[in-house]
Amino acid sequence: MANSAVARATTYTRGDDGYEHARQGSLWRTNTPDRFPDRIVEANSVEDVTAAVRAAKAAGQQVSVCSGGHSWSANHVRDGGVLINLSRLRSFTVDPITMTATAEPGIGGSVLLAELMKRGLFFPVGHCRGVAIGGYLLQGGFGWNGRALGPACSNVIAIDYVDANGDVRHASETENPDMLWAARGSGPDFFGVVVRFHLRVFPKPRFIGSSATVYRVDRLEELVRWIDRVGPHVPPEVELQFVMSRSPSLPPPLRPRSASSPVVIELAATVMAPSRFAARAATAFMSDAPKGAKIRVPLLPMPMSLMFSAAMQHYPEANWEADNLWTHAGADELMPHLRRIVETMPAPPAHMLWLNWAPQASLPDMAFTVQDLTYLSFYGGWLKGTASAASRWAHDNAAAMQALSTGIQFADDPGRPSRGISEEARSRLEAIRASHDPEGRFRRWIGEVPQ
Ligand SMILES: Cc1cc2nc3c(=O)[nH]c(=O)nc-3n(C[C@H](O)[C@H](O)[C@H](O)COP(=O)(O)OP(=O)(O)OC[C@H]3O[C@@H](n4cnc5c(N)ncnc54)[C@H](O)[C@@H]3O)c2cc1C
């Protein structure tokens, strides 16, 4: 094992003992692609990052980056070049007076949120444990209470980053503002290594809770037509979503886990409000939800730890291929597709998510420019060692709905022309890239397909 040192980082060259462990360990999903970086640098400090970028520049190599490795497309695992893994950079600071925090990119959103909540504060981190803030914030970030607080990237007020020359720089509204603009939404297409985010934080909502309803799949059309009606008017403090799968979030002994188990729909309304009274008022529309539920759990207060655990039920460690789309299509256009999705639903943990995003306010000026009424996401998951019936399911279903898509979330690699930001934002991003990374030191998004 050649465990050479770049500053204090651990560095592996292809062929070294430990290289394969480092490559696979940089990913959350267990299906590791057949792509092999020349070197993997596990950074322990900002100096490690500057040294790694300078060494890559001197060697004429390209750089890819990961923080928590939760990219569904394994965007950072590329052939050749240097992979800089930032998962060990996890420090943070909180200032309750200015309502700001700073955090290194490798910290898990759930970990950061727990620290903020101890201090009576809140930030819209992602819904699952392990999703690091690095990739999540760069690509937009749809988090807890995100409809009220905006895409998480809109609450990034500054970044510290390592540029294409290996120098540490700061970007804010007044210093390198174009790099802050780019960092807020360009996701895996960003050209720099963010080593610290400066965040605007919020007061912790006094009431955090959820209500849940489980339906048989024969209620699907009724449910979709109901969401068509109420979705755009759901108050911003409420996140209305449903998951369709053959594996409802029941305790393991009760949970069916086979390809022949019936598909069920789990509808949830999560609410973060100033009081229980306000939460009840905000979710009053739920009394009008389709009848005939198998299980109905009324609005209950819930600790965030339980909210994360509930979200994690559908995301065990497994092989995954994911795909997604934004859409404002109505029930008439969506139903034929949803029927096909139900008919072809693979065994658990594969599932489909419907999120009623229904944006409330216009976006600030930033690269993140694509959002819509509804976010649909297909998670083709299959357990390690089992047949991969789910491997094409997500991509095939999303591709079949391409005509209804107004864009995608960047974490995936759809393998077809897709836009994660608007055409106008893209032109601006390319102009900024040309001036900040003229030699193309940083990798492009893996899903880039010529339009
Ligand atoms: C189980 C699960 C649940 C999820 N839930 C949500 C959710 O609720 N809401 C949501 O919005 N998204 C969610 N996602 C998607 C997630 O936000 C993205 O996959 C995101 O990229 C993960 O961040 P990461 O740092 O872990 O990823 P990584 O794989 O480390 O990063 C993704 C890409 O971002 C870039 N990048 C990462 N860090 C840096 C950095 N410091 N500097 C420069 N570039 C960098 C790189 O190009 C990298 O390839 C989820 C993903 C998973 C697997």
Side-chain angles (χ1 to χ4, degrees), residues 17-333:
D17 284 351
Y19 169 92
E20 190 50 24
H21 187 258
R23 190 178 77 95
Q24 292 184 17
S26 72
L27 271 173
W28 171 74
R29 63 177 224 192
T30 50
N31 43 332
T32 311
D34 286 335
R35 300 190 294 264
F36 299 87
D38 290 336
R39 269 189 317 133
I40 301 175
V41 177
E42 294 176 344
N44 286 312
S45 66
V46 175
E47 291 71 36
D48 290 345
V49 179
T50 58
V53 174
R54 283 178 190 156
K57 182 176 162 76
Q61 290 176 309
Q62 279 198 299
V63 172
S64 65
V65 185
C66 68
S67 292
H70 273 57
S71 158
W72 294 102
S73 57
N75 179 68
H76 59 279
V77 180
R78 309 294 273 267
D79 277 325
V82 180
L83 162 60
I84 305 178
N85 184 335
L86 303 170
S87 60
R88 295 176 185 166
L89 303 191
R90 297 178 182 178
S91 74
F92 66 93
T93 63
V94 182
D95 185 344
I97 306 293
T98 56
M99 299 291 282
T100 57
T102 71
E104 290 187 321
I107 192 167
S110 60
V111 177
L112 179 63
L113 183 58
E115 293 294 337
L116 289 171
M117 288 181 73
K118 278 185 208 163
R119 297 158 175 85
L121 300 170
F122 195 87
F123 187 81
V125 301
H127 296 83
C128 287
R129 292 198 180 94
V131 176
I133 65 163
Y136 169 80
L137 287 175
L138 282 167
Q139 67 167 47
F142 317 114
W144 295 108
N145 213 14
R147 292 188 63 232
L149 304 178
C153 67
S154 64
N155 299 304
V156 174
I157 51 181
I159 55 167
D160 300 328
Y161 67 98
V162 175
D163 71 9
N165 294 319
D167 296 327
V168 181
R169 303 212 176 270
H170 184 73
S172 67
E173 294 288 356
T174 52
E175 190 178 345
N176 295 312
D178 53 350
M179 285 299 277
L180 177 64
W181 181 91
R184 303 199 314 173
S186 65
D189 231 359
F190 185 64
F191 27 85
V193 187
V194 182
V195 289
R196 188 169 294 277
F197 291 91
H198 300 251
L199 306 173
R200 177 188 305 121
V201 300
F202 301 88
K204 176 168 85 87
R206 288 225 175 84
F207 180 93
I208 296 179
S210 189
S211 73
T213 313
V214 180
Y215 293 102
R216 290 194 177 84
V217 78
D218 57 11
R219 297 281 157 172
L220 178 61
E221 181 160 356
E222 206 182 331
L223 181 66
V224 169
R225 293 197 182 281
W226 174 72
I227 296 180
D228 245 10
R229 227 175 41 248
V230 302
H233 314 292
V234 169
E237 60 271 34
V238 180
E239 198 172 291
L240 180 69
Q241 56 165 263
F242 72 79
V243 168
M244 283 203 295
S245 73
R246 299 187 189 276
S247 170
S249 306
L250 298 170
L254 300 175
R255 194 185 310 159
R257 295 204 72 91
S258 101
S260 56
S261 308
V263 172
V264 292
I265 309 167
E266 297 165 273
L267 175 73
T270 300
V271 55
M272 308 218 170
S275 66
R276 190 173 188 139
F277 180 78
R280 276 216 199 95
T283 51
F285 70 91
M286 287 293 285
S287 62
D288 185 33
K291 308 292 176 237
K294 271 169 66 170
I295 303 171
R296 200 178 282 272
V297 182
L299 180 64
L300 294 173
M302 266 193 215
M304 274 315 297
S305 56
L306 202 55
M307 306 272 264
F308 279 110
S309 297
M312 289 304 290
Q313 296 251 16
H314 285 289
Y315 301 95
E317 190 176 297
N319 295 331
W320 291 96
E321 289 290 339
D323 211 322
N324 73 83
L325 59 124
W326 289 108
T327 186
H328 50 259
D332 288 342
E333 288 172 295

